[in-house]
Amino acid sequence: MLAYTLRRLSFIPIVFFALTLMIFAMQMMLTPTQRMLTYVPGPDALKGGAAQVAALIEKYGLNDPAHVQYGRWIGNILQGNLGWSETARMPVAEALVSLFPATLELVIFAFVPGILGAIWLGSRAGVHLNKPIDHGIRLFTVLGWSFPVFVFGLLVLMVFYGSFGWFPPGRLSQWALVEVGGDGFRRWTGLNTADAVLNGNLPIFLDALRHLVLPVVTLSYVNLASMTRVMRTSMLESLRQDYVRTARAKGLSERVVQSRHAQRNALLPVVTVAGMEVAAMLGGVVITETIFDYHGIGQFAANAAANLDFPAVLGFALYFALVLVILNLIVDLLYPLLDPRVRLA
Amino acid sequence: MRIVAYLLRNPLSLLGILVLIGFVAVAALAPVIAPPEPYQTSPYEIPRSGFRATPQPPSARALLGTTEGQFDIFYGLVWGTRTAFKIGLGVVLISTLIGGVVGAVSAFYGGMVDEVLMRVVDVFLAVPFLIAAMVLTTLLGKGIGPMTIALTAFGWMNYARVIRSEILRVKELDYVKAARSYGTRDIRLLLRHILPNAFFPVLVLATMMTGSMVLTASALSFLGVGVEPGYADWGQLISYSRNWIVGRGDSPFRYWYTLAFPGAAIFLFVLSWSLLGDALRDILDPRLRT
Amino acid sequence: MKSWIGPSLGIALLALSGAAQAELKNPGTLVYLWTDDIRTLDPAYMADTANTYVSINTYMRLLNYKGSEISEFVPALSTEVPSLENGLIKSGADGSVTYIFPIRKGVYTHKVGVKGADGAIAWKLYDDLTDAEKAAIAPGYGELTAEDVQYSLMRAVLQGDSFMANAVTEMITAGKYPDIEAWAKDLAGVKTFDEVNEAGLAKVHDALAQKIKVDGDKLVLVLDAPFPATLGIMALPFATSVIDREWARDQGDWDGGAATWKPFHKPEMGADKLFQVENGSGPFMVEDWDRSQKKVTMKRFNGYWQGPAQLERVVLRSVPEWTTRLLQLEAGDADVVQTPVEFLEEVGSKPGIKVVEGLPKVFGRSLFYMWPVSAVDNPAIGSGKLDGKGIPPDFFSDIDVRQGFNYAQDYQLLLDDVHLGKTVQLRGPTVRGIMGYRPDSPVYTYDPEKAAEHFKKAWGGQLWENGFEMTAYMTQGRTEAHAALSVLQQNLARINPKFKLKIQELQSATFADKIYGGGDPSAPMAYMGWGPDYSDPGGPLGAATYYLASTGLVAGMSGKGYQELMRDKFDPLLKQAWTMVDQAEREKIYAKLQEMSYDYATTQFLWEDYGFIVTRDWIDGYVHNMIVYGAWDFYPITKKEKQ
């Protein structure tokens, strides 16, 4: 298993290298003037006109031959310097590290109800194939899948914050922000809930939780829909397998047949999809973050993409690739646990 | 006929197919149902009855109301049907082609070729899709063309994988081995024996993805990269409803029509393709036959 | 999912009645939600309005603008506003002008250097000092002096990165040099800045020091020629902000040496030593700048020379989604929010929310004509000929074309529908409040007949015969720009169906490339806005110069044809007005220039930008000043429950 893990992890440098080439190629599709724009607040700030533009291009070496620019870039990266993100106003590495905990917190809280709900709903639908409950669940999944995230988000925000005032947007209330920034609070992980527990601070823990409710509900609803689909299909397939017939023939109760035999084996594809979902979520959920005023990696990446901040885009791509490889590895390592017939290649 | 029998037993699938036929009809008859105004440079520009931002409710002039900026929702929905088909089918067809070639070559020749091509697929899969699409559309500009390119460039991988795994499976089947032993040439083998049998899972995938492309396109519109403003596209129409979901203080759902109509169109489109996909899978996949 | 919308509608309506009546939250703290983001804490490096929200409140300048006035000043760090009357402005016989600023005593910075028992100097917060510690403040390490002002101004000029810093250079040299590099190159006699050696660096430093001098407790500026906008620039919250020299040095910034300034010239944003630290003397200090959360927190400075502010804290936070901002305003979690104009009516009618409208801005938006444009591979001009499928590169050189376009735009429709009657048509380079503006000066109105007349005359009748096809550019995301171009597009098609104007939205970088990339512009027509940074319309940075000088910014990007027109007709008058002293006579000339911009249809002037603020009704004290583009000075702001 160790050898297998190492072999999978050795793939990472190749992916990284290929990603740098790809993103660099995209960057070179722009003219030097376009690339220069990341370094100023906007075209309105180019009051120095053409002279200022030329000076900026000079300053950042944007006219140098492509291989020189690439060499400079990759040289920095290999030394561990991911460069400076103009859009985040800090080094790319620092941006990723400081924003990752926020996204992680969101993903952890959203993933658990999502996967549990999906397994339950998917099994119900598979077992009661073509009955009303199945149709209902299928419609629900398509609706969930096709209902734009931002609409759902804005609706829950309007009802639960605008009308009731229960669950505010953002990560913490103003008073909590002051306290967290002060001397009495020590940052361990960057996750507000975890840090509050570690500091023994109940009010802040509750405040952080309150702020997480709406984005978590929005996120898990989206995941629920797509994972339920997969679970249903997979459950259907597993219910038709011979060993299920055998289990029934043996006289086991239907409940046991479903939960211990069919469902367990149906989990494989769901785990795969779940892995991809988690990766996608860790890649940042821009729309949710935008609506709930929740600054995470998604907003950082989207901002960088929209402003063509290539060091940040690359840094994010590398981070995402790393997340993907690790998650795929975890999923693959889980396979044998769920299905003894599967062996690691 | 197996298909008819299946459809009669599964009213939901029948519904899906009928809805889809409905969409095709709307798309085909668009110039009749919603004729463009004389001064328009392109029929895909939604006519606007002014420039005020506040949406207007359904009226005699605008059957389904207007959205932010006074764009006619009815016109946008009708011509948006064409856009939905263009994007959905366009992306899926090109992705299938690219993915198909890569997957087929990879599976058929195996060995080093397979390793390299699959690594390439892995690299593309490692690219964060939304961000890459955003960068590409920012580079190429707004419009249906750049969006299609962006969606295809980072979407072909799944097709490659599916085709590859299917071909690998079919390659081992007896009749293929037999054909090979006769000395049949590679291309002929591929085209006449392998592909027709490997095709079905791809078909299922393609139908599902056609619907979901519209969703991704609408996410891109929401993020500000996508089609030009005022272009007849459901995703764009929905993103126009963004600031009006909260409505006014006294009537929270006052502007429901800016959301309900485009939302319903997207939902029905995705649903019908998804039901079609499910139906195809049920009909064509021998393993799922009860 | 849609099935539970019904019942929740009912619940929402019920609960909604209590919504915006929220009681005052976060007393003493003002929460400001916007969509902007600041780039740096270094006042010399700053280049945009959003950043000034921090610099206005944390750093002091020699002068301040007087309330809403854009040409009148009050003393700040200087004890008096220099004028001819009080003798603090002196005209020399050689044409030079000297400004004398007596520096106020007892103005401390937020952090001061306290000499410890071991003789080492540590920077501590002034507010936290005991009396004993206050006595131990090392001289020069806390109280601002004329030397600090000299250092700040020189540092800004030598850093020379932001446009505003270079504006100081331009002011100091009375328009002779646009930036320090040009000055250095000239003095050293070399072609590129890199060739300037240590001696050359010292030379330009000393030349600069000749112009910015310290005389006891006074700062003296010596300009070679009159530069009327001097006091205006000194009052702007950018590069003329005062930094403590010892503190800057201790942060690793320039030590003040004559030849050691090159490493600090044009640093990268993150390499700038003062990028993320602040130590000004304004009524607030930066408590925390959280760049990952896009949040700036400013805390009251109790040691401010005019007494502590009313607010204890000000939080500036970036929230991109409008609905989220609105809901927070209604709930009382936010006190001020940036609002799109289309929601002004609605927001104003909600209880507890106050809207202040009609705040003028010096910024104007227009469609700019450029000629000749680059003819090589240019998609904007189509075939490049007047054959109905394109335009010739110098399409707009024909005045009948420009006037036709100007008559084809429906300005009133835009003002009514897009701006909801909240602003006026832009009458030319100068806006309301700037010298030379006359409310009755001639402007174009929508007149399709006149437009047709001009089009028929244009290009010897060929234009009307064959029609044209061209593309106009704008940056994406501006609905008002798209509206202006759409209206023009439709009207042109109505006048002659062969007139095809295409609209292309571009991402900012791509747009900038079309305008600035290469020798000739690529865009025949583009939507842009310009606004001056001081109130005088003349001089290198004034409104009239921007638009109408052959060396002005608009000319710089509009092509050689435009430049020639300006050189011919406008330059002489501009020069004349700038060198005159009689304000009344100057005013007449600028008014004439405004009229000429109409006569020659140099640009399609659209509308003046306008401002408004949306706050909770418990916020009071906002003073609008259009020359700082409405940036908030939080010192006089109060947050009190309305009775």
Side-chain angles (χ1 to χ4, degrees):
Chain A
M1 173 144 106
L2 188 62
Y4 178 73
T5 308
L6 285 175
R7 221 186 53 224
R8 289 292 295 271
L9 288 175
S10 72
F11 181 56
I12 296 181
I14 307 174
V15 178
F16 275 22
F17 182 64
L19 278 174
T20 59
L21 274 175
M22 194 187 291
I23 292 184
F24 187 76
M26 284 203 277
Q27 192 176 7
M28 284 297 126
M29 283 170 66
L30 297 174
T31 65
T33 316
Q34 290 172 295
R35 278 178 278 135
M36 170 275 307
L37 242 292
T38 14
Y39 300 104
V40 287
D44 288 345
L46 286 173
K47 296 197 173 182
Q52 187 185 10
V53 168
L56 279 168
I57 292 179
E58 187 61 41
K59 178 173 167 186
Y60 292 101
L62 299 173
N63 251 334
D64 297 340
H67 61 272
V68 170
Q69 292 193 53
Y70 182 70
R72 218 183 318 169
W73 208 30
I74 200 101
N76 276 330
I77 294 173
L78 288 173
Q79 285 169 24
N81 177 10
L82 285 174
W84 178 265
S85 164
E86 289 287 326
T87 48
R89 330 272 191 239
M90 55 176 124
V92 174
E94 197 184 312
L96 289 170
V97 166
S98 65
L99 288 165
F100 179 67
T103 304
L104 184 65
E105 191 167 22
L106 200 54
V107 170
I108 292 176
F109 277 94
F111 177 64
V112 173
I115 185 102
L116 290 177
I119 292 177
W120 187 74
L121 280 174
S123 316
R124 292 304 109 221
V127 160
H128 300 290
L129 178 65
N130 282 334
K131 301 225 193 65
I133 188 170
D134 176 35
H135 290 323
I137 291 180
R138 280 173 81 189
L139 256 155
F140 164 74
T141 59
V142 177
L143 188 59
W145 200 33
S146 67
F147 204 73
V149 175
F150 76 88
V151 176
F152 183 76
L154 285 174
L155 281 172
V156 295
L157 187 64
M158 182 177 103
V159 172
F160 294 104
Y161 174 59
S163 307
F164 298 151
W166 292 341
F167 306 116
R171 293 188 75 199
L172 289 173
S173 307
Q174 178 58 30
W175 65 265
L177 282 169
V178 173
E179 202 172 314
V180 160
D183 295 325
F185 195 89
R186 172 98 193 261
R187 273 286 185 201
W188 299 92
T189 61
L191 278 71
N192 288 333
T193 44
D195 284 343
V197 166
L198 289 170
N199 273 279
N201 191 326
L202 185 64
I204 291 191
F205 177 74
L206 290 175
D207 190 60
L209 226 48
R210 260 182 87 211
H211 283 85
L212 275 170
V213 170
L214 291 184
V216 160
V217 164
T218 308
L219 262 186
S220 43
Y221 162 72
V222 172
N223 289 334
L224 185 67
S226 73
M227 286 197 285
T228 304
R229 269 177 84 76
V230 178
M231 183 67 195
R232 176 181 172 275
T233 312
S234 159
M235 189 70 174
L236 282 176
E237 189 167 327
S238 125
L239 279 172
R240 285 176 177 95
Q241 296 294 332
D242 289 339
Y243 64 81
V244 170
R245 280 218 203 106
T246 314
R248 281 209 186 101
K250 276 197 329 195
L252 292 170
S253 79
E254 193 57 25
R255 269 248 343 257
V256 171
V257 169
Q258 284 169 19
S259 62
R260 268 233 262 144
H261 295 268
Q263 195 178 67
R264 194 128 164 267
N265 288 292
L267 285 179
L268 242 61
V270 180
V271 166
T272 314
V273 172
M276 281 165 38
E277 288 284 329
V278 172
M281 281 200 284
L282 282 175
V285 274
V286 187
I287 298 178
T288 310
E289 288 178 18
T290 307
I291 291 171
F292 294 104
D293 187 12
Y294 196 96
H295 293 269
I297 279 211
Q299 276 214 309
F300 161 71
N303 224 7
N307 289 297
L308 300 176
D309 178 3
F310 282 100
V313 170
L314 179 69
F316 175 75
L318 295 178
Y319 151 82
F320 184 72
L322 186 65
V323 162
L324 210 60
V325 169
I326 291 180
L327 273 165
N328 276 337
L329 183 60
I330 294 178
V331 164
D332 283 347
L333 289 175
L334 277 175
Y335 267 21
L337 292 177
L338 291 170
D339 188 349
R341 293 177 298 171
V342 173
R343 255 180 331 170
L344 297 173
Chain B
M1 293 203 38
R2 212 175 59 213
I3 298 175
V4 175
Y6 173 85
L7 286 176
L8 289 174
R9 255 182 302 137
N10 290 284
L12 217 53
S13 302
L14 185 61
L15 181 70
I17 292 180
L18 288 176
V19 171
L20 204 50
I21 293 177
F23 276 121
V24 171
V26 169
L29 295 171
V32 175
I33 307 175
E37 308 262 322
Y39 58 78
Q40 275 177 246
T41 45
S42 147
Y44 288 95
E45 277 172 30
I46 308 179
R48 43 197 316 191
S49 55
F51 292 89
R52 286 195 177 255
T54 315
Q56 302 300 314
S59 65
R61 228 166 31 143
L63 290 175
L64 296 179
T66 64
T67 186
E68 180 176 272
Q70 303 313 307
F71 292 104
D72 185 33
I73 295 180
F74 176 72
Y75 188 97
L77 284 187
V78 169
W79 286 88
T81 315
R82 285 201 177 184
T83 312
F85 276 110
K86 273 196 201 177
I87 296 178
L89 292 175
V91 172
V92 163
L93 284 172
I94 302 177
S95 299
T96 311
L97 208 61
I98 300 178
V101 167
V102 171
V105 167
S106 185
F108 198 70
Y109 290 106
M112 200 54 192
V113 173
D114 184 31
E115 269 299 313
V116 167
L117 281 176
M118 280 304 106
R119 292 310 121 224
V120 169
V121 167
D122 280 340
V123 169
F124 268 88
L125 277 171
V127 173
F129 172 75
L130 212 55
I131 303 303
M134 277 182 79
V135 173
L136 215 49
T137 37
T138 311
L139 287 174
L140 299 171
K142 286 182 151 190
I144 193 174
M147 208 159 66
T148 310
I149 295 178
L151 291 174
T152 326
F154 297 105
W156 59 271
M157 300 83 70
N158 279 324
Y159 299 87
R161 273 187 163 182
V162 170
I163 288 208
R164 176 179 172 274
S165 79
E166 272 307 295
I167 291 184
L168 282 177
R169 181 179 69 84
V170 171
K171 221 167 81 164
E172 300 307 312
L173 291 178
D174 288 338
Y175 75 90
V176 174
K177 285 192 179 150
R180 241 217 186 111
S181 72
Y182 295 158
T184 321
R185 291 213 343 254
D186 283 353
I187 298 284
R188 204 180 152 79
L189 203 63
L190 198 62
L191 289 176
R192 279 209 70 194
H193 295 277
I194 298 183
L195 274 183
N197 287 296
F199 193 58
F200 298 129
V202 179
L203 191 61
V204 174
L205 178 66
T207 50
M208 307 285 214
M209 294 305 279
T210 309
S212 82
M213 278 302 115
V214 171
L215 285 174
T216 317
S218 95
L220 286 177
S221 286
F222 178 87
L223 291 170
V225 294
V227 292
E228 308 101 331
Y231 192 90
D233 171 52
W234 295 338
Q236 165 118 159
L237 283 176
I238 272 217
S239 68
Y240 275 133
S241 77
R242 171 187 196 164
N243 287 329
W244 306 95
I245 293 180
V246 170
R248 294 177 65 99
D250 47 349
S251 49
F253 296 101
R254 188 186 171 97
Y255 305 107
W256 60 277
Y257 45 91
T258 57
L259 175 62
F261 296 125
I266 292 185
F267 168 64
L268 287 172
F269 192 78
V270 172
L271 180 67
S272 59
W273 281 102
S274 158
L275 288 174
L276 179 63
D278 280 351
L280 275 175
R281 191 191 42 234
D282 288 347
I283 296 177
L284 298 169
D285 190 336
R287 291 176 293 175
L288 282 186
R289 294 230 197 93
T290 24
Chain C
M1 259 326 67
K2 289 197 166 123
S3 59
W4 57 258
I5 286 182
S8 67
L9 168 72
I11 306 174
L13 280 169
L14 262 172
L16 217 50
S17 49
Q21 306 276 351
E23 77 291 351
L24 194 153
K25 288 193 188 158
N26 305 317
T29 301
L30 183 145
V31 177
Y32 191 115
L33 302 181
W34 58 3
T35 57
D36 292 307
D37 185 22
I38 67 171
R39 295 176 72 88
T40 179
L41 294 181
D42 180 352
Y45 203 86
M46 290 181 192
D48 59 10
T49 307
N51 249 136
T52 59
Y53 277 65
V54 175
S55 63
I56 274 191
N57 294 293
T58 55
Y59 281 97
M60 276 179 71
R61 302 156 289 290
L62 288 174
L63 305 173
N64 267 343
Y65 282 95
K66 181 176 179 180
S68 297
E69 295 300 321
I70 62 174
S71 311
E72 283 176 48
F73 310 98
V74 291
L77 189 58
S78 171
T79 54
E80 291 187 65
V81 178
S83 67
L84 287 167
E85 286 76 28
N86 61 18
L88 292 175
I89 300 186
K90 296 194 173 82
S91 292
D94 54 354
S96 70
V97 182
T98 306
Y99 292 83
I100 302 173
F101 298 92
I103 302 300
R104 191 180 300 275
K105 301 222 192 313
V107 177
Y108 287 89
T109 49
H110 304 142
K111 292 192 267 274
V112 293
V114 177
K115 203 173 205 141
D118 54 353
I121 301 181
W123 290 96
K124 295 202 178 136
L125 279 176
Y126 182 80
D127 281 346
D128 292 345
L129 294 184
T130 62
D131 284 330
E133 284 174 309
K134 278 194 184 147
I137 297 178
Y141 277 75
E143 201 178 338
L144 286 180
T145 62
E147 281 83 7
D148 292 317
V149 183
Q150 180 194 39
Y151 172 81
S152 305
L153 292 172
M154 288 183 70
R155 174 183 175 272
V157 169
L158 294 170
Q159 187 190 75
D161 189 284
S162 76
F163 171 77
M164 289 313 296
N166 292 331
V168 179
T169 315
E170 213 150 357
M171 169 193 95
I172 291 281
T173 59
K176 185 165 179 199
Y177 297 110
D179 59 42
I180 193 72
E181 287 189 7
W183 197 352
K185 283 191 296 197
D186 197 31
L187 282 185
V190 295
K191 278 225 165 49
T192 69
F193 182 64
D194 285 321
E195 295 172 44
V196 178
N197 58 10
E198 220 177 280
L201 293 175
K203 205 164 167 190
V204 72
H205 168 273
D206 294 336
L208 182 61
Q210 287 301 308
K211 300 198 165 349
I212 308 177
K213 298 198 280 215
V214 171
D215 175 19
D217 58 354
K218 304 198 204 354
L219 179 84
V220 180
L221 286 182
V222 183
L223 309 186
D224 289 334
F227 195 88
T230 304
L231 294 183
I233 292 188
M234 296 310 287
L236 282 176
F238 290 95
T240 51
S241 302
V242 179
I243 306 173
D244 183 79
R245 177 181 58 181
E246 285 69 27
W247 174 77
R249 234 179 9 213
D250 279 0
Q251 302 305 309
D253 207 300
W254 178 49
D255 59 1
T260 54
W261 60 271
K262 191 157 183 204
F264 303 99
H265 174 72
K266 285 200 177 153
E268 307 223 353
M269 190 208 286
D272 175 16
K273 298 294 176 208
L274 303 190
F275 162 64
Q276 44 177 338
V277 286
E278 171 269 329
N279 187 21
S281 44
F284 290 91
M285 51 182 141
V286 174
E287 189 182 20
D288 174 46
W289 180 23
D290 187 339
R291 283 162 288 163
S292 56
Q293 299 295 307
K294 299 210 188 298
K295 173 170 71 87
V296 180
T297 310
M298 294 193 280
K299 190 167 162 188
R300 170 171 64 207
F301 176 49
N302 293 319
Y304 183 57
W305 71 276
Q306 274 186 314
Q310 304 252 10
L311 290 172
E312 198 201 324
R313 264 197 186 82
V314 176
V315 178
L316 299 168
R317 244 177 49 214
S318 178
V319 179
E321 189 68 29
W322 156 242
T323 306
T324 314
R325 294 201 297 280
L326 174 64
L327 289 173
Q328 293 189 59
L329 182 72
E330 286 182 327
D333 287 324
D335 301 293
V336 187
V337 300
Q338 193 172 337
T339 309
V341 65
E342 48 262 31
F343 300 99
L344 224 47
E345 305 293 333
E346 191 186 310
V347 161
S349 61
K350 289 186 201 284
I353 296 184
K354 184 168 76 168
V355 173
V356 180
E357 286 191 62
L359 304 173
K361 289 218 176 139
V362 288
F363 211 79
R365 306 265 174 190
S366 316
L367 289 175
F368 291 86
Y369 301 124
M370 316 202 192
W371 74 91
V373 295
S374 155
V376 180
D377 268 337
N378 192 342
I381 60 173
S383 63
K385 294 197 280 269
L386 211 50
D387 55 2
K389 296 226 180 299
I391 53 165
D394 56 350
F395 186 53
F396 287 110
S397 62
D398 187 334
I399 189 175
D400 280 308
V401 174
R402 300 199 300 274
Q403 287 184 312
F405 268 74
N406 279 357
Y407 278 116
Q409 176 65 276
D410 192 342
Y411 307 89
Q412 199 55 46
L413 175 68
L414 295 173
L415 291 172
D416 290 338
D417 276 11
V418 178
H419 299 291
L420 307 172
K422 295 187 191 303
T423 188
V424 298
Q425 187 174 353
L426 185 62
R427 308 189 89 86
T430 57
V431 301
R432 292 171 291 182
I434 304 249
M435 189 197 298
Y437 177 84
R438 300 259 176 89
D440 51 0
S441 66
V443 285
Y444 288 93
T445 52
Y446 178 48
D447 195 332
E449 274 142 28
K450 280 218 186 102
E453 245 178 73
H454 283 286
F455 283 133
K456 287 186 179 134
K457 279 193 263 172
W459 291 93
Q462 273 194 326
L463 175 61
W464 189 260
E465 271 284 313
N466 301 338
F468 72 82
E469 201 174 300
M470 65 170 268
T471 309
Y473 293 107
M474 51 173 278
T475 43
Q476 63 195 28
R478 295 191 178 273
T479 38
E480 65 285 358
H482 198 259
L485 284 168
S486 297
V487 171
L488 186 61
Q489 177 191 53
Q490 284 176 26
N491 292 345
L492 285 171
R494 287 205 181 98
I495 291 171
N496 183 335
K498 296 193 203 146
F499 289 174
K500 301 199 185 78
L501 176 70
K502 290 199 277 204
I503 307 169
Q504 173 99 35
E505 285 205 6
L506 296 173
Q507 198 261 355
S508 328
T510 322
F511 181 80
D513 189 38
K514 289 262 183 247
I515 311 292
Y516 298 111
D520 290 323
S522 311
M525 185 158 95
Y527 170 93
M528 279 187 288
W530 287 109
D533 289 292
Y534 54 73
S535 59
D536 196 295
L541 313 169
T545 319
Y546 268 147
Y547 287 89
L548 304 173
S550 64
T551 50
L553 260 119
V554 174
M557 67 178 193
S558 302
K560 301 198 176 52
Y562 184 94
Q563 285 162 21
E564 227 182 274
L565 177 63
M566 295 303 124
R567 214 180 346 252
D568 237 1
K569 310 276 179 217
F570 293 87
D571 273 0
L573 278 175
L574 280 167
K575 213 185 234 119
Q576 192 185 3
W578 183 236
T579 49
M580 278 173 145
V581 177
D582 185 339
Q583 298 294 69
E585 287 303 309
R586 291 184 75 216
E587 195 274 339
K588 290 211 190 90
I589 298 188
Y590 287 117
K592 175 104 182 74
L593 284 165
Q594 184 99 323
E595 253 182 62
M596 284 167 67
S597 72
Y598 164 84
D599 294 329
Y600 288 97
T602 58
T603 306
Q604 184 174 104
F605 299 105
L606 293 171
W607 57 73
E608 293 188 13
D609 257 15
Y610 52 98
F612 47 83
I613 57 166
V614 175
T615 73
R616 293 296 313 221
D617 59 4
W618 54 60
I619 297 288
D620 243 328
Y622 172 72
V623 175
H624 179 78
N625 190 309
M626 63 178 188
I627 205 71
V628 295
Y629 292 87
W632 278 63
D633 177 357
F634 291 109
Y635 183 58
I637 307 292
T638 58
K639 180 169 174 174
K640 280 203 271 278
E641 189 73 73
K642 277 273 175 278
Q643 303 311 328

